[in-house]
Amino acid sequence: MPLYHLIYESRASQPFTDADLLELLRNSRDYNAQHELTGLLLYSAEGRFLQVLEGRQAAVLALYQRISQDVRHTACMLLLSGPLAERRFGEWRMGYRATRHHTDLPALLGHVDTSSPDFLLPLLPKLSTSLLDRLFDYVHHTPAHASLDELVAG
């Protein structure tokens, strides 16, 4: 089965509490398990989301369509999408990390202004792999949230 990935960012319409995030993650994990999707969700105190989705292309695109129409967030912007050699977040139906500092997401995105329409142009040739690498590294060096992290059977 060919794999596909998609990375987007958005802003919460209203700040999410831990209870809101827990409900979102539970629903996401159930949905993703049913559709063989995996991925990662980052959320910042400023209300920014950055999400990676992995799976079959049709399933990933269908979910992104639903997400982009969800009223709980605005300014949904597709950052990257394309074929994927192997799942980077395959152990998670939907992994989660809260960003530690307001500069974490810009640093992960390579210090670019994502509101600019041409922000990806200088990075396109190698962005997918390098961004996935940065996200993977960030997740594995960021403490998990006790009640929101997905427990992985080991």
Side-chain angles (χ1 to χ4, degrees), residues 89-147:
F89 303 98
E91 71 275 13
W92 282 331
R93 291 170 294 157
M94 184 49 57
Y96 171 78
R97 290 294 188 272
T99 59
R100 297 174 288 190
H101 191 269
H102 73 278
T103 60
D104 285 359
L105 288 181
L108 287 167
L109 293 171
H111 305 284
V112 295
D113 176 11
T114 57
S115 64
S116 167
D118 60 352
F119 80 97
L120 287 177
L121 291 179
L123 303 171
L124 279 175
K126 59 184 176 187
L127 183 64
S128 182
T129 301
S130 66
L131 180 54
L132 284 171
D133 289 344
R134 285 194 304 268
L135 289 168
F136 187 79
D137 187 57
Y138 180 82
V139 165
H140 287 87
H141 290 94
T142 303
H145 187 289
S147 63

Side-chain angles (χ1 to χ4, degrees), residues 52-111:
V52 178
L53 300 171
E54 304 170 323
R56 291 183 339 265
Q57 182 174 359
V60 169
L61 293 175
L63 178 54
Y64 180 67
Q65 179 69 22
R66 285 181 52 189
I67 289 169
S68 67
Q69 296 173 0
D70 191 319
V71 297
R72 293 175 289 183
H73 60 109
T74 62
C76 194
M77 180 183 299
L78 178 63
L79 300 177
L80 291 169
S81 63
L84 186 64
E86 62 182 328
R87 292 178 191 260
R88 299 304 298 271
F89 303 98
E91 71 275 13
W92 282 331
R93 291 170 294 157
M94 184 49 57
Y96 171 78
R97 290 294 188 272
T99 59
R100 297 174 288 190
H101 191 269
H102 73 278
T103 60
D104 285 359
L105 288 181
L108 287 167
L109 293 171
H111 305 284

Side-chain angles (χ1 to χ4, degrees), residues 21-84:
L21 286 166
L22 184 57
E23 179 183 351
L24 173 70
L25 289 166
R26 283 184 179 151
N27 292 335
S28 297
R29 290 167 180 160
D30 290 344
Y31 180 92
N32 290 356
Q34 293 173 16
H35 295 89
E36 299 178 355
L37 295 168
T38 55
L40 167 69
L41 178 68
L42 299 180
Y43 181 70
S44 72
E46 302 82 39
R48 289 179 66 186
F49 288 104
L50 181 71
Q51 186 167 19
V52 178
L53 300 171
E54 304 170 323
R56 291 183 339 265
Q57 182 174 359
V60 169
L61 293 175
L63 178 54
Y64 180 67
Q65 179 69 22
R66 285 181 52 189
I67 289 169
S68 67
Q69 296 173 0
D70 191 319
V71 297
R72 293 175 289 183
H73 60 109
T74 62
C76 194
M77 180 183 299
L78 178 63
L79 300 177
L80 291 169
S81 63
L84 186 64

